[in-house]
Amino acid sequence: MAINPWIKARIDGTRYNISRSIVNLLNTGNLNDSDIVDFIITMFNNAHYFGVPDGLRSVYVHGNARYRHVYGYVMYIRRYGSVSIHVGVGRIKRDFGDCAAYWGWQVLAHEIAHLVGVSGGHYLRHGSIHLSVAKYLLLESLPGGIALPSIYYLLVDYLLGIECKRKYSRASNRFIINELNKLTNNHVIDVKHYIDCSAVLRSVIKSCDRYLMGYI
């Protein structure tokens, strides 16, 4: 019998439809499917505190991203009260190998954070507020052993977005560097391991600006 490609749950009137490929991506190796689904739902519940709409009818988390230059994107369809998040599972696995789950979690939190303000007709843009929301969602929704590496990747991604891609101009590189310093000073994080997990990440860092290696 074929395995259903979707894992479904209904909580407080919201239907969650989560691609099995997403669940597989986000598994750090010691979780079951229901754990991951619960973490995703908790992340959405925590996001309501920041203005992500209550009363969503449906949430879809897809394991594919149509655009090659991004790891994920989000769409809110007001008419149907529906959220659709796309995460590039294949690309993340190729680029991050054994650390793919942590990069996947930060991509998911990053996209959920964009939904802040969507009730007012706009997505929350990249910047310090967006970064702080995404960081909060990871820290408050996941066990520390998953949250901390995911936050590290979130901060690295943001710093590269400012210094290399010029995408996140509303965020301060000094603010992000301070956040990285606090994270690595206050917690035991094997920075070398998480950088070495991805040849793509190392290449971007080196080609962007060598001085960043001192902060990352």
Side-chain angles (χ1 to χ4, degrees), residues 124-180:
L124 180 62
R125 298 176 64 179
H126 293 124
S128 58
I129 296 176
H130 174 267
L131 175 60
S132 296
V133 172
K135 177 185 172 184
Y136 176 91
L137 295 180
L138 292 168
L139 195 59
E140 297 298 324
S141 308
L142 301 174
I146 301 174
L148 294 176
S150 300
I151 291 170
Y152 175 74
Y153 273 152
L154 172 70
L155 295 170
V156 168
D157 187 32
Y158 240 89
L159 187 58
L160 293 176
I162 293 173
E163 298 294 340
C164 309
K165 306 171 189 176
R166 308 299 178 188
K167 289 168 57 181
Y168 305 158
S169 59
R170 287 174 174 258
S172 161
N173 61 350
R174 178 51 53 188
F175 170 76
I176 298 169
I177 289 169
N178 287 338
E179 288 292 308
L180 275 167

Side-chain angles (χ1 to χ4, degrees), residues 7-18 37 40-41 44-45 48 52-61 76 80-84:
I7 296 176
K8 301 182 180 183
R10 188 179 183 91
I11 304 293
D12 296 331
T14 301
R15 298 191 311 274
Y16 291 87
N17 302 271
I18 303 169
V37 171
I40 293 173
I41 292 172
F44 269 95
N45 287 338
H48 294 316
V52 173
D54 288 313
L56 292 172
R57 296 178 189 172
S58 61
V59 171
Y60 290 85
V61 186
Y76 172 61
Y80 300 109
S82 178
V83 166
S84 181

Side-chain angles (χ1 to χ4, degrees), residues 9-204:
R10 188 179 183 91
I11 304 293
D12 296 331
T14 301
R15 298 191 311 274
Y16 291 87
N17 302 271
I18 303 169
S19 168
R20 193 169 293 276
S21 65
I22 288 288
V23 172
N24 292 337
L25 169 70
L26 299 179
N27 196 334
T28 55
N30 55 353
L31 302 171
N32 57 47
D33 292 354
S34 61
D35 291 330
I36 296 170
V37 171
D38 287 346
F39 292 153
I40 293 173
I41 292 172
T42 298
M43 198 172 279
F44 269 95
N45 287 338
N46 285 332
H48 294 316
Y49 296 124
F50 297 95
V52 173
D54 288 313
L56 292 172
R57 296 178 189 172
S58 61
V59 171
Y60 290 85
V61 186
H62 301 264
N64 58 74
R66 184 180 306 168
Y67 308 109
R68 292 184 179 181
H69 64 287
V70 297
Y71 287 109
Y73 54 91
V74 62
M75 295 181 290
Y76 172 61
I77 306 173
R78 184 190 305 275
R79 179 179 179 184
Y80 300 109
S82 178
V83 166
S84 181
I85 295 177
H86 293 255
V87 176
V89 168
R91 182 184 174 195
I92 292 173
K93 285 184 173 181
R94 285 194 305 272
D95 288 357
F96 289 89
D98 292 340
C99 300
Y102 306 111
W103 192 270
W105 279 114
Q106 75 91 5
V107 170
L108 183 62
H110 182 121
E111 298 309 327
I112 293 175
H114 279 308
L115 293 170
V116 173
V118 77
S119 295
H122 60 85
Y123 296 94
L124 180 62
R125 298 176 64 179
H126 293 124
S128 58
I129 296 176
H130 174 267
L131 175 60
S132 296
V133 172
K135 177 185 172 184
Y136 176 91
L137 295 180
L138 292 168
L139 195 59
E140 297 298 324
S141 308
L142 301 174
I146 301 174
L148 294 176
S150 300
I151 291 170
Y152 175 74
Y153 273 152
L154 172 70
L155 295 170
V156 168
D157 187 32
Y158 240 89
L159 187 58
L160 293 176
I162 293 173
E163 298 294 340
C164 309
K165 306 171 189 176
R166 308 299 178 188
K167 289 168 57 181
Y168 305 158
S169 59
R170 287 174 174 258
S172 161
N173 61 350
R174 178 51 53 188
F175 170 76
I176 298 169
I177 289 169
N178 287 338
E179 288 292 308
L180 275 167
N181 287 337
K182 285 194 295 184
L183 183 70
T184 55
N185 289 337
N186 294 338
H187 304 280
V188 178
I189 297 177
D190 189 348
V191 169
K192 185 176 185 301
H193 169 69
Y194 294 114
I195 295 297
D196 287 348
C197 261
S198 173
V200 171
L201 183 59
R202 292 197 310 273
S203 176
V204 170

